[in-house]
C-alpha cells in the first residue's frame, strides 16, 4: 500500500515541503531513497524502538520510502515522526484518511517522546502558504510555529498522542499565539544600561550618534578603558524592534534552533564571537549551509573585541556583507541568501602591548610594532566603519562618583526621534532606512553643505591628511548629528564634530 505524508526541509531561511512516499509490498527489506543523510538513514532504528515501546511495530515486509524531490539533500533527525507515521499508515496500523492534510516533523527518542527541531518558523510559514490544515511538531517548538496565522499548530510530546489523534481517540488542542499582543506585551529593556558608565561622556555621545544613524563604530583604547562595557550597552539605546524586524530575526534564529519557548524575539541580538572564529562560522556556510554570526546579529549588533586578533581572512569575508547587508552562499546545486543587516562595533588596543604613547605604561611598543599591529586591519574594511574614536581610561575622581550617568532610556528617546526623521527622509526607498545606508546619490541629495561647512571640510582634509574614503563617512555622520538636533541643514559644527571621529584616517595611524 502506498501512503504520502509531508515534512519540510529548510534551505537558507526558506522552507521546502518534502513529500515522503511510503510503499509496503511483499518481500523483506527497508529501502530509503531521496538523498537522505546518515541521521535519516539511521532513523529506522529509532522508529522501530519508539513504535515497539508504544504497542506498534515495523512490519516484516518490503518497505520502500522516497523523499521527494529526490534530487534535494535532506538532513537531520527531524523526519523521524514523519517516517514513522507513514510506515504505520502504509501498513494499516493507523487511519491514513487525514494524514495528507498535516505537515508533520519531529525527532523520536527510543521511548516515543518527541524532541525539538530546527527551523519551525520558516516551516510553518511554508505550510500556511501551501494550504495545509495544520502543523504537528514537538511541544517545545509550538509557540515559535504558532506565530504564523491561519495554521493550526499542534505541539506534542509523544508519538502516541499523534497516533491517537489520527485514530480519532483523542483531540489535540492547537497552540494559540496572538503575535501582535504577545510582541508588545513581551518587549523588554536590555540588561545593561548606560547609567552604569562613569565618565566617558564623549564616548557615550559617539555611541548615541552611531545608534541614531546605524553607523559602524570602532573603539581604540588601552585595556581597562571601558570599550567592552560601552559596546554591551549599545543595544539599550537602539530603537525597539518593529514587529516585522522581530519576525525576520526570529526566523533566522529558528533555523539554527536558538529560539526560546517565548516564540518571538523582541530584543535586538547582540553577538560577540571570539577572535578564534573561522570565516564559515562568522559569515555562514558549511557543507549544509547554516547562518553565521553576522546573520544571527541581523537587526542587532555584532561586537568584534580585539579586532586585530581576528584572522585577516575572517575579517576580509565581512566586506561584502557589510556593503550588501546580506550573505550569498553558493554551492554546485543551490544558492542560499541570509540577511545580515547589523551594526558593527569593533574594539582594539592602539598597540600590541596596549599602551602606546602612555608614559606610565608597564609595556611599551615601538612605532614599527604599532604600525604592523594596526596594518592587520585592511583599508577596505576600515572604509566601511564610519566612526573611529579613541577611548581613554577613566580617572579616579570619576570612578568614585556616586552620581549615576544618563540612563539609556533618555538617550534612546533622542535616538528614536532621529530615526523617525530618517524614516521620513527615506520613505520612498525600500532599501535605505537610516543614514549609514546612504549611497553616493543619497549623500549628494541629503548632505548638501553651505560654503563655510564645505571650506571647513576641505581644510580638515588637507591639514589632518584625511584620506579620500573619509569624505563620505564624515558627511553621513554629520547628517546624523544634524538629525539629533532636528536640523534640516548640516551646519559647520556638525562637520567639525564628525571630523573628530576619523582617528584612524589621520596620518601616522595607518600607512
Amino acid at each position: 500500500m502506498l501512503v504520502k505524508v509531508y515534512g519540510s526541509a529548510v534551505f537558507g531561511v526558506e522552507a521546502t515541503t518534502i513529500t515522503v512516499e511510503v510503499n509496503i509490498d511483499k518481500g523483506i527489506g527497508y529501502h530509503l531513497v531521496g538523498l537522505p543523510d546518515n541521521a535519516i538513514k539511521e532513523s529506522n532504528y529509532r522508529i522501530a524502538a519508539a513504535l515497539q515501546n508504544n504497542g506498534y511495530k515495523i512490519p516484516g515486509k518490503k518497505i520502500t520510502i522516497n523523499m521527494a524531490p529526490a534530487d534535494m539533500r535532506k538532513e537531520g533527525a527531524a523526519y523521524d515522526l514523519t517516517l514513522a507515521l507513514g510506515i504505520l499508515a502504509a501498513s494499516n496500523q493507523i487511519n491514513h484518511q487525514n494524514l495528507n492534510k498535516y505537515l508533520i516533523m519531529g525527532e523520536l527518542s527510543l521511548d516515543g517522546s518527541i524532541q525539538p527541531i530546527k527551523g519551525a518558523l520558516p516551516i510553518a510559514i511554508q505550510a500556511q502558504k501551501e494550504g495545509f490544515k495544520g502543523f504537528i511538531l514537538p511541544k517545545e517548538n509550538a509557540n515559535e510555529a504558532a506565530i504564523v496565522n491561519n495554521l493550526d499548530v499542534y505541539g506534542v510530546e509523544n508519538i502516541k498522542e499523534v497516533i491517537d489523534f489520527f485514530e480519532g481517540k483523542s483531540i489535540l488542542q492547537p497552540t494559540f499565539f496572538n503575535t501582535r499582543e504577545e510582541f508588545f506585551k513581551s518587549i523588554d529593556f536590555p540588561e545593561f544600561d548606560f547609567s552604569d558608565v562613569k565618565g566617558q561622556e564623549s564616548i557615550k555621545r559617539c555611541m548615541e550618534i552611531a545608534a541614531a544613524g546605524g553607523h559602524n563604530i570602532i573603539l581604540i583604547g588601552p585595556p581597562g578603558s571601558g570599550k567592552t562595557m560601552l559596546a554591551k550597552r549599545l543595544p539599550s539605546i537602539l530603537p525597539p524592534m518593529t514587529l516585522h524586524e522581530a519576525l525576520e530575526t526570529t526566523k533566522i534564529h529558528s533555523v539554527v534552533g536558538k529560539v526560546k519557548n517565548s516564540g518571538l524575539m523582541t530584543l535586538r541580538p547582540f553577538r560577540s564571537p571570539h577572535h578564534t572564529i573561522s570565516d564559515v562560522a562568522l559569515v555562514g556556510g558549511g557543507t549544509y549551509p547554516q547562518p553565521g554570526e553576522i546573520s544571527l546579529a541581523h537587526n542587532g549588533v555584532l561586537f568584534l573585541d580585539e579586532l586585530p586578533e581576528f584572522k585577516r581572512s575572517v575579517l576580509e569575508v565581512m566586506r561584502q556583507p557589510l556593503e550588501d547587508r546580506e550573505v550569498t552562499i553558493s554551492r554546485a546545486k543551490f544558492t542560499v541568501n541570509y540577511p545580515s543587516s547589523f551594526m558593527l562595533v569593533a574594539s582594539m588596543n592602539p598597540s600590541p602591548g596596549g599602551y602606546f604613547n602612555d608614559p606610565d605604561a608597564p609595556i611599551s611598543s615601538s612605532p614599527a610594532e604599532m604600525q604592523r599591529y594596526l596594518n592587520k586591519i585592511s583599508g577596505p574594511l576600515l572604509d566601511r566603519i564610519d566612526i573611529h574614536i579613541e577611548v581613554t581610561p577613566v580617572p579616579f575622581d570619576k570612578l568614585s562618583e556616586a552620581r549615576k550617568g544618563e540612563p539609556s532610556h533618555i538617550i534612546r528617546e533622542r535616538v528614536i526621534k532621529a530615526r523617525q526623521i530618517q524614516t521620513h527622509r527615506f520613505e520612498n526607498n525600500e532599501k535605505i532606512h537610516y543614514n549609514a545606508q546612504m549611497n553616493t546619490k543619497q549623500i549628494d541629495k541629503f548632505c548638501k553643505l553651505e560654503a563655510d561647512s564645505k571650506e571647513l571640510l576641505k581644510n580638515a582634509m588637507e591639514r589632518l591628511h584625511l584620506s579620500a574614503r573619509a569624505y563620505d563617512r564624515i558627511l553621513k555622520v554629520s547628517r546624523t548629528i544634524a538629525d539629533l538636533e532636528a536640523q534640516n541643514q548640516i551646519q559647520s559644527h556638525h562637520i567639525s564634530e564628525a571630523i573628530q571621529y576619523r582617528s584612524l584616517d589621520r596620518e601616522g595611524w595607518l600607512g
Side-chain angles (χ1 to χ4, degrees), residues 434-446:
Y434 42 84
N435 291 335
Q437 296 176 325
M438 286 193 292
N439 57 30
T440 306
K441 184 179 179 181
Q442 277 83 40
I443 291 172
D444 291 342
K445 182 176 181 181
F446 299 115

Side-chain angles (χ1 to χ4, degrees), residues 227-424:
K227 303 185 295 294
T228 302
M229 185 183 188
L230 288 158
K232 286 183 176 179
R233 281 154 179 76
L234 181 60
S236 69
I237 62 172
L238 290 172
M241 279 205 289
T242 63
L243 180 57
H244 174 73
E245 286 177 328
L247 289 167
E248 204 174 41
T249 306
T250 304
K251 194 175 178 183
I252 298 168
H253 285 250
S254 172
V255 171
V256 293
K258 293 185 180 292
V259 177
K260 297 179 181 177
N261 288 336
S262 56
L264 190 64
M265 295 182 64
T266 56
L267 286 177
R268 292 189 181 275
F270 180 88
R271 307 293 300 183
S272 180
H274 193 260
H275 61 76
T276 56
I277 192 171
S278 68
D279 50 356
V280 171
L282 185 67
V283 301
T287 306
Y288 306 115
Q290 288 282 293
E293 288 291 334
I294 63 173
S295 294
L296 294 174
H298 182 62
N299 291 322
V301 174
L302 178 70
F303 177 48
L304 301 183
D305 198 7
E306 304 298 341
L307 188 67
E309 300 301 331
F310 284 78
K311 288 183 288 187
R312 181 151 184 152
S313 61
V314 171
L315 296 178
E316 292 307 295
V317 295
M318 270 205 316
R319 284 159 51 179
Q320 182 259 338
L322 277 169
E323 199 73 32
D324 298 342
R325 300 191 180 271
E326 71 170 9
V327 180
T328 302
I329 297 169
S330 298
R331 294 292 179 267
K333 293 187 177 180
F334 59 87
T335 299
V336 295
N337 293 309
Y338 295 116
S340 59
S341 181
F342 59 90
M343 274 186 66
L344 173 64
V345 180
S347 74
M348 60 179 285
N349 296 327
S351 65
Y355 298 93
F356 179 69
N357 275 350
D358 186 344
D360 301 321
I363 303 172
S364 61
S365 301
S366 69
E369 287 175 325
M370 191 202 82
Q371 198 66 37
R372 281 196 298 270
Y373 181 72
L374 294 176
N375 283 338
K376 289 182 180 180
I377 309 167
S378 71
L381 179 62
L382 280 175
D383 192 26
R384 290 160 173 81
I385 300 178
D386 298 345
I387 298 175
H388 312 155
I389 187 70
E390 296 172 56
V391 184
T392 54
V394 182
F396 176 78
D397 58 335
K398 290 285 185 183
L399 285 174
S400 58
E401 275 187 357
R403 184 174 60 88
K404 287 274 190 180
E406 187 177 27
S408 290
H409 70 89
I410 300 296
I411 304 173
R412 183 190 243 188
E413 288 175 9
R414 297 196 292 268
V415 169
I416 290 172
K417 287 178 182 176
R419 283 284 183 104
Q420 288 171 344
I421 292 171
Q422 294 164 56
T423 299
H424 177 71

